[in-house]
Amino acid sequence: VASGVEALEQLAQEAVDLILMDIDMPVLTGVQTTEAIRAGEEHAILESNRTVPIIAVTTSDSEEQQELYRQSGMAGCVSKPIKIPVLRAAIQDALK
């Protein structure tokens, strides 16, 4: 999807197993979108999607930023450009 708003609309209609969340999206940031997913009710997010693992995908991966992502409800963080072994490990950790 192209924006956080579109992500929320899709998550209100379709169940997913995992979300790769771009942090720098238009309209709503990845952090704002994650917080809205976790809150769920305001955007009518499907119940199953409110707890789905979310992994941040970003160029901003400092320790401080990663802590912000965790506090917003994300399960992990992958830096751009994405390295497949790192992504695979993040997905495995998030699905535990």
Side-chain angles (χ1 to χ4, degrees):
V1 296
S3 73
V5 172
E6 288 181 23
L8 294 175
E9 290 170 353
Q10 183 172 350
L11 292 169
Q13 299 175 18
E14 179 183 344
V16 300
D17 297 318
L18 176 79
I19 297 170
L20 298 178
M21 182 68 70
D22 188 354
I23 295 300
D24 299 315
M25 291 188 295
V27 186
L28 293 174
T29 68
V31 170
Q32 292 168 321
T33 304
T34 298
E35 290 170 343
I37 292 166
R38 295 300 185 227
E41 295 165 6
E42 180 180 343
H43 297 280
I45 303 301
L46 294 176
E47 190 72 34
S48 63
N49 287 338
R50 295 178 191 180
T51 58
V52 71
I54 301 174
I55 298 172
V57 178
T58 182
T59 57
S60 302
D61 65 345
S62 69
E63 286 297 320
E64 296 83 19
Q65 288 299 112
Q66 288 187 42
E67 181 58 28
L68 173 66
Y69 307 149
R70 280 189 290 276
Q71 289 176 3
S72 73
M74 295 185 198
C77 179
V78 175
S79 299
K80 295 178 189 177
I82 295 174
K83 294 180 176 82
I84 296 300
V86 173
L87 176 61
R88 186 176 293 121
I91 291 171
Q92 288 174 341
D93 287 345
L95 294 175
K96 285 183 182 177

